[in-house]
């Protein structure tokens, strides 16, 4: 049987697929409508039929871009006759529009499609007056939005003409050197990345640059920002950030040059202590990018409107669609925290649909019990639903919640919510709203790893692809790197995680291809095993694993031949002492199923009584398994990592621990090896000398092992001749 390693397919806490609605995890099940978090029928949501939902992948009744002109005028006649590199793209999309091919179903929420595709040189439809509907069917047009935007544009036109050429936005997006960019894109596949390692403020920093830009981007290593005054910010953001963060802490000062200079960033030192500062920094950067992009387009609209149809100015200032930033988060509560910071920074005069957002995303009083660990309470307090998506649209004075994706500037979603928005049916998929994403933020990636990481990979696979439909796009305004399919080389990706994993490294290698360069931040670990302080022996056993593909089979073989026989021996030779109370910790659910089946059917384990607790085990079965384990009716308990992540059970009666694999989160090692055994010692059930702690690892577990044993020891343990290592 072929056995491939990977995470199970659970979609939410405990792996179950839910039909929607925030759960009252710690204060009853609160039934509320799903709003933007799922695809619903037109009459499925709303009170009294007053609101109708529409799929985020569909266009609004009045689309973000104008519809094709009714008079059949050929837009190409209005442009220069010279040959353009994107003619085939324009022709293919235009052919689809003209051929009458079936298009995605459009739900009307009042009014017909009346906007028209503007010829080159006229006002862009990416920032028109408000559309007639949004993601949830809310029909609330902004008051004089277009007039206010154009008035603001005329006033700020001189500012656009005198743009700061040292502004990272101007260098990366506003006015990049096209020749240098083309050279970098050609150079990257041939020469790869040039790596440079350094240390700063206790962090290990690995920077990766393309050889043609190494000299320029290497200067970032020595940069340190002391506060907001070092940043090139929009004026409307300067005062709020100086109020929130008048000066930067060492961490902010170290990473802000990479963030605001548009480098990709994999930051693997996120903690409860620095979480708020990191959120504020990424929200500030995202808003700064969105506001600069929006203002440039609107001011160019004003300039082109002045010139009229006879003007020949070519301004390339946008992508295929409006959304420019994507923020991926684990829960609705984390979404609410991010939006609170966004509101504090942009200080809008009006917030459309804010009450609806509060009802759907904020649960007051839903908190875990006080005996849960601090990181658990931080992640799961409030609304811990992990299926949501919401669009934010910004105008000069207003923030609009639940804007339809094609009308949004920022999209915030969970991996599952975005996966359902894109769709899995290739014929019905809609990912065009991701075609022009320029900034991607993945926060709390360590928590997303405990969901279904395949959804995150699925999202990255569909970023910056050529759109299937024109969506009213004026191709004369689209930047060249979008037209030639090179947008992924300009996109900035920022991932924040408590620790590094192979999954994050895979994203870093395969999907973070920013020509400005990329950086990886990690830390030195002392080793969580030193924090136990119980005086017990901790053993680590290494097994041979020739390839990553065959690693699950090699691990299972080692477990059944080297560890299971000792369980049988202990069970037969002891009477109520060491033979009982063995907890086997298993990171992967697939491995859990394999071991459970082995305990159920193998003759080697026929005399061992065992119980199981996984993320799919019901509450009643969990209570029964814990009770039987405590009383000794079951001498072995199989326990999965995701069950511990989502529930943090305080299991009693543990006398020895066998880790089938080390946990991703080092906190789990301390809680299980230390917390469970310490409680048994306090209960008088076991003495320190009787405790057995054994962890199994291979050369593919280097990142996990480093967090447990420490950075200084991991190298020797991975390459030493011996295969067993004991620590007291």
């Amino acid at each position: 049987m072929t056995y491939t390693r990977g995470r199970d397919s659970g979609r939410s806490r405990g792996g179950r697929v839910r039909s929607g609605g925030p759960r009252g995890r710690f204060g009853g099940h609160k039934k509320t409508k799903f709003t933007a978090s799922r695809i619903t029928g037109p009459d499925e949501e709303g009170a009294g039929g007053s609101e109708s939902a529409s799929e985020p992948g569909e266009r609004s009744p009045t689309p973000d871009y104008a519809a094709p002109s009714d008079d059949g005028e050929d837009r190409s006649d209005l442009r220069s006759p010279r040959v353009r590199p994107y003619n085939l793209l324009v022709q293919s999309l235009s052919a689809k529009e003209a051929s009458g091919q079936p298009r995605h179903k459009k739900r009307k929420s009042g009014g017909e499609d009346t906007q028209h595709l503007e010829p080159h040189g006229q006002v862009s439809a990416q920032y028109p007056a408000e559309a007639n509907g949004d993601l949830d069917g809310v029909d609330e047009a902004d008051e004089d939005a277009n007039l206010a935007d154009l008035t603001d544009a005329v006033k700020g036109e001189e500012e656009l003409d005198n743009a700061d050429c040292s502004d990272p936005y101007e260098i990366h997006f506003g006015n990049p050197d096209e020749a240098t960019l083309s050279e970098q894109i050609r150079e990257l596949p041939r020469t790869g990345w040039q790596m440079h390692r350094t240390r700063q403020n206790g962090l290990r920093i690995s920077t990766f640059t393309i050889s043609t830009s190494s000299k320029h981007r290497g200067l970032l290593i020595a940069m340190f920002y002391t506060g907001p005054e070092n940043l090139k910010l929009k004026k409307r953001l300067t005062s709020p950030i100086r109020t929130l963060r008048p000066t930067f802490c060492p961490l902010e000062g170290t990473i802000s040059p990479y963030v605001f200079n548009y480098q990709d960033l994999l930051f693997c030192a996120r903690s409860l202590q620095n979480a708020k500062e990191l959120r504020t920094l990424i929200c500030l950067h995202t808003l700064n990018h969105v506001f600069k992009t929006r203002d440039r387009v609107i001011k160019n609209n004003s300039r082109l409107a002045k010139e009229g149809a006879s003007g020949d100015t070519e301004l390339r200032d946008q992508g295929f669609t409006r959304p420019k930033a994507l923020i991926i988060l684990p829960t609705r509560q984390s979404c609410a925290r991010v939006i609170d910071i966004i509101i504090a920074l942009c200080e809008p005069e009006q917030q459309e649909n804010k009450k609806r957002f509060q009802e759907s995303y904020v649960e007051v009083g839903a908190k875990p019990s006080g005996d849960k660990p601090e990181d658990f309470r931080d992640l799961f307090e409030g609304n811990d639903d992990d299926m949501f998506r919401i669009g934010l649209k910004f105008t000069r004075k207003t923030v609009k919640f639940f804007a339809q994706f094609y009308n949004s500037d920022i999209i915030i979603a969970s991996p599952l919510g975005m996966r359902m928005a894109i769709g899995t049916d290739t014929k019905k998929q809609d990912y065009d709203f991701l075609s022009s994403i320029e900034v991607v933020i993945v926060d709390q990636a360590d928590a997303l790893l405990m969901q279904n990481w395949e959804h995150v990979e699925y999202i990255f696979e569909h970023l910056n692809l050529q759109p299937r439909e024109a969506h009213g796009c004026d191709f004369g305004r689209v930047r060249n790197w979008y037209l030639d399919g090179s947008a992924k080389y300009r996109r900035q990706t920022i991932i924040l995680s408590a620790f590094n994993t192979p999954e994050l490294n895979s994203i870093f290698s395969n999907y973070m291809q920013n020509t400005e360069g990329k950086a990886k931040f990690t830390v030195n670990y002392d080793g969580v095993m030193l924090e136990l302080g119980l005086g017990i022996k901790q053993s680590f056993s290494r097994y041979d694993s020739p390839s990553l593909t065959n690693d699950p089979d090699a691990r299972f073989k080692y477990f059944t031949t080297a560890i299971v026989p000792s369980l049988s021996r202990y069970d037969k030779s002891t009477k109520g002492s060491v033979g009982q109370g063995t907890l086997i910790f298993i990171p992967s659910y697939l491995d859990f199923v394999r071991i459970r089946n082995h305990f159920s059917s193998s003759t080697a384990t026929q005399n061992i009584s065992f119980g199981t607790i996984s993320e799919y085990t019901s509450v009643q079965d969990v209570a029964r398994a814990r009770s039987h384990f405590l009383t000794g009716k079951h001498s072995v308990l199989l326990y999965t990592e995701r069950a511990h992540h989502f529930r943090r059970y305080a299991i009693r009666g543990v006398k020895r621990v066998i880790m089938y694999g080390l946990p991703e989160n080092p906190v789990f090692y301390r809680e299980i090896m230390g917390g469970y055994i310490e409680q048994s010692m306090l209960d008088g059930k076991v003495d320190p000398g009787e405790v057995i702690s054994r962890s199994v690892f291979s050369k593919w577990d280097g990142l996990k092992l480093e967090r447990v044993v420490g950075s200084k020891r991991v190298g020797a343990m991975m390459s030493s001749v011996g295969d067993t290592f004991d620590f007291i």
Side-chain angles (χ1 to χ4, degrees):
M1 177 182 67
T2 302
Y3 183 83
T4 59
R5 191 174 185 181
R7 299 193 181 278
D8 54 273
S9 57
R11 293 184 174 180
S12 61
R13 294 188 59 193
R16 291 181 173 81
V17 180
R18 295 190 304 278
S19 59
R23 291 168 301 161
R25 167 66 175 81
F26 302 103
H29 190 94
K30 182 178 179 181
K31 295 288 187 179
T32 61
K33 55 182 177 291
F34 224 175
T35 64
S37 294
R38 58 174 175 169
I39 299 175
T40 59
D43 301 323
E44 183 176 343
E45 284 190 340
S50 61
E51 297 166 353
S52 60
S54 63
E55 297 182 10
E58 298 179 347
R59 297 183 305 279
S60 61
T62 304
D64 181 57
Y65 291 98
S69 175
D70 293 335
D71 58 11
E73 182 181 10
D74 187 355
R75 295 177 63 242
S76 62
D77 295 337
L78 301 175
R79 299 179 181 173
S80 171
R82 62 184 176 181
V83 178
R84 298 181 183 274
Y86 52 91
N87 277 349
L88 290 178
L89 175 62
V90 176
Q91 291 172 5
S92 65
L93 294 174
S94 299
K96 181 180 291 188
E97 296 280 353
S99 64
Q101 293 181 10
R103 300 174 60 166
H104 292 294
K105 182 180 178 182
K106 299 165 72 173
R107 295 186 181 132
K108 302 291 183 181
S109 60
E112 298 292 327
D113 293 332
T114 57
Q115 296 184 11
H116 299 284
L117 185 64
E118 299 292 347
H120 177 53
Q122 296 190 19
V123 176
S124 168
Q126 272 203 34
Y127 294 86
E130 296 299 304
N132 289 334
D134 62 15
L135 185 61
D136 291 287
V138 178
D139 186 8
E140 300 177 14
D142 290 334
E143 181 180 358
D144 296 329
N146 200 42
L147 178 61
D149 286 340
L150 291 178
T151 302
D152 183 51
V154 173
K155 292 180 180 179
E157 192 166 343
E158 183 178 351
E159 178 186 344
L160 180 63
D161 292 335
N162 300 321
D164 186 355
C165 60
S166 65
D167 186 345
Y169 175 83
E170 293 296 324
I171 297 173
H172 193 73
F173 287 105
N175 189 29
D177 187 330
E178 296 286 350
T180 301
L181 175 59
S182 299
E183 182 183 359
Q184 291 173 340
I185 294 175
R186 291 194 304 268
E187 187 82 3
L188 182 57
R190 186 175 65 85
T191 62
W193 297 97
Q194 308 296 319
M195 185 175 65
H196 181 275
R197 289 192 176 100
T198 186
R199 295 178 183 270
Q200 189 174 353
N201 292 322
L203 296 168
R204 298 183 303 191
I205 306 175
S206 300
T207 57
F208 300 78
T209 56
I210 302 174
S211 59
T212 55
S213 60
S214 297
K215 182 177 180 181
H216 171 64
R217 305 317 303 176
L219 297 176
L220 289 177
I221 298 173
M223 295 179 68
F224 182 88
Y225 290 168
T226 58
E229 65 273 6
N230 298 123
L231 307 176
K232 303 289 185 179
L233 299 176
K234 293 293 293 182
K235 291 182 179 179
R236 63 185 293 188
L237 296 173
T238 302
S239 178
I241 189 58
R242 287 180 176 174
T243 301
L244 293 176
R245 303 295 300 169
T247 59
F248 286 165
C249 67
L251 174 61
E252 292 172 300
T254 301
I255 70 171
S256 53
Y258 299 90
V259 173
F260 287 90
N261 283 280
Y262 286 96
Q263 282 200 317
D264 286 347
L265 177 66
L266 173 57
F267 183 79
C268 303
R270 188 188 186 278
S271 65
L272 296 179
Q273 291 70 34
N274 62 32
K276 186 173 182 180
E277 288 76 16
L278 291 173
R279 275 197 298 264
T280 302
L281 205 63
I282 62 174
C283 288
L284 175 66
H285 175 60
T286 302
L287 285 175
N288 192 49
H289 178 78
V290 167
F291 290 166
K292 287 183 177 181
T293 301
R294 175 183 175 274
D295 288 354
R296 174 175 290 271
V297 172
I298 292 175
K299 291 167 186 175
N300 284 341
N301 287 349
S302 175
R303 178 181 299 179
L304 293 173
K306 285 183 178 181
E307 295 181 359
S310 60
D312 58 356
T313 303
E314 183 178 78
L315 299 172
R316 298 197 175 276
D317 55 6
Q318 56 194 248
F320 297 113
T321 54
R322 177 165 178 166
K324 289 295 175 285
L326 172 65
I327 303 178
I328 303 175
L329 301 168
T331 66
R332 291 193 177 213
Q333 182 64 31
S334 60
C335 175
R337 290 171 180 164
V338 166
I339 288 182
D340 285 344
I341 295 176
I342 289 176
I343 297 302
L345 289 171
C346 67
E347 297 180 336
E349 295 182 9
Q350 299 178 15
Q351 300 179 47
E352 291 191 24
N353 308 325
K354 180 62 180 293
K355 182 179 179 181
R356 189 173 194 168
F357 173 78
Q358 294 286 349
E359 293 174 350
S360 303
Y361 282 74
V362 179
E363 279 190 26
V364 179
K367 294 184 178 181
S369 59
D371 60 345
K372 297 293 185 181
E374 186 179 5
D375 65 308
F376 181 88
R377 287 184 275 116
D378 177 77
L379 179 60
F380 293 118
E381 72 174 356
N383 191 334
D384 65 353
D385 182 33
D386 63 1
M387 179 176 164
F388 65 91
R389 53 185 179 268
I390 183 172
L392 298 182
K393 179 178 180 177
F394 296 86
T395 61
R396 192 165 61 92
K397 298 181 179 180
T398 304
V399 174
K400 185 174 185 179
F401 297 88
F402 302 111
Q404 200 170 49
F405 280 2
Y406 285 99
N407 290 339
S408 300
D409 295 297
I410 300 176
I411 297 173
I412 306 177
S414 66
L416 177 58
M418 184 54 61
R419 175 71 178 263
M420 294 189 67
I422 296 173
T424 56
D425 188 339
T426 55
K427 295 182 179 180
K428 299 180 180 179
Q429 281 182 333
D430 186 4
Y431 45 79
D432 288 356
F433 56 86
L434 298 176
S435 63
S436 303
I437 294 294
E438 294 174 346
V439 176
V440 176
I441 308 292
V442 181
D443 193 14
Q444 295 177 271
D446 50 300
L448 299 178
L449 286 163
M450 292 292 106
Q451 296 178 9
N452 192 335
W453 187 253
E454 290 181 1
H455 296 334
V456 177
E457 295 174 337
Y458 189 81
I459 295 170
F460 274 94
E461 289 171 0
H462 290 82
L463 286 173
N464 301 123
L465 300 180
Q466 295 285 358
R468 293 183 172 185
E469 298 181 11
H471 300 285
C473 175
D474 178 3
F475 289 94
R477 298 281 296 274
V478 177
R479 292 183 170 113
N480 288 325
W481 59 77
Y482 283 109
L483 298 169
D484 61 19
S486 300
K488 66 179 181 179
Y489 296 109
R490 305 305 285 166
R491 182 188 72 233
Q492 182 188 31
T493 303
I494 300 174
I495 300 179
L496 307 178
S497 176
F499 45 80
N500 195 12
T501 69
E503 292 87 349
L504 296 181
N505 279 334
S506 176
I507 295 292
F508 187 79
S509 299
N510 298 323
Y511 297 107
M512 298 169 72
Q513 303 291 319
N514 191 344
T515 54
E516 290 297 310
K518 56 185 178 180
K520 182 188 299 184
F521 283 63
T522 56
V523 297
N524 276 330
Y525 294 95
D526 295 328
V528 70
M529 70 175 185
L530 301 179
E531 302 175 12
L532 302 188
L534 300 179
I536 62 175
K537 183 173 74 172
Q538 302 175 63
S539 299
F540 297 85
S541 301
R542 189 186 69 222
Y543 64 92
D544 293 330
S545 178
S547 68
L548 182 61
T549 303
N550 297 324
D551 185 64
D553 293 329
R555 187 182 301 267
F556 181 75
K557 180 179 179 181
Y558 180 84
F559 178 79
T560 55
T561 57
I563 295 179
V564 170
S566 66
L567 296 178
S568 304
R569 183 171 62 253
Y570 279 124
D571 198 59
K572 292 179 179 180
S573 61
T574 59
K575 297 181 179 180
S577 182
V578 183
Q580 296 178 349
T582 300
L583 184 141
I584 301 178
F585 178 85
I586 309 169
S588 167
Y589 182 77
L590 298 178
D591 288 330
F592 166 81
V593 172
R594 195 176 193 181
I595 295 173
R596 183 191 61 190
N597 294 342
H598 180 78
F599 271 79
S600 299
S601 59
S602 175
T603 56
T605 58
Q606 60 184 351
N607 295 323
I608 300 178
S609 58
F610 72 99
T612 61
I613 297 178
S614 74
E615 55 269 34
Y616 299 101
T617 307
S618 65
V619 175
Q620 295 81 357
D621 290 341
V622 168
R624 185 181 302 109
R626 293 174 63 183
S627 175
H628 289 175
F629 184 71
L630 176 62
T631 59
K633 187 173 182 179
H634 290 163
S635 59
V636 173
L637 179 64
L638 308 182
Y639 187 45
T640 66
E641 181 173 12
R642 292 182 77 236
H644 189 73
H645 169 78
F646 288 116
R647 303 301 175 187
R648 299 294 178 89
Y649 293 118
I651 299 176
R652 303 182 66 176
V654 178
K655 300 175 183 177
R656 55 178 176 159
V657 176
I658 295 175
M659 289 200 163
Y660 186 81
L662 292 167
E664 292 283 8
N665 192 338
V667 174
F668 296 172
Y669 184 91
R670 183 179 65 240
E671 291 174 351
I672 293 173
M673 287 292 190
Y676 289 178
I677 292 178
E678 181 181 18
Q679 185 60 50
S680 296
M681 293 170 63
L682 293 175
D683 293 340
K685 294 183 176 295
V686 65
D687 294 328
E690 297 177 322
V691 174
I692 294 178
S693 166
R694 188 173 183 180
S695 301
V696 177
F697 72 95
S698 72
K699 64 181 180 181
W700 310 109
D701 297 326
L703 294 175
K704 299 179 182 180
L705 185 65
E706 180 185 13
R707 296 189 283 270
V708 174
V709 303
S711 302
K712 294 181 179 180
R713 304 175 186 86
V714 64
M717 294 177 65
M718 298 293 287
S719 59
S720 178
V721 177
D723 58 5
T724 301
F725 308 87
D726 295 332
F727 301 92
I728 298 179

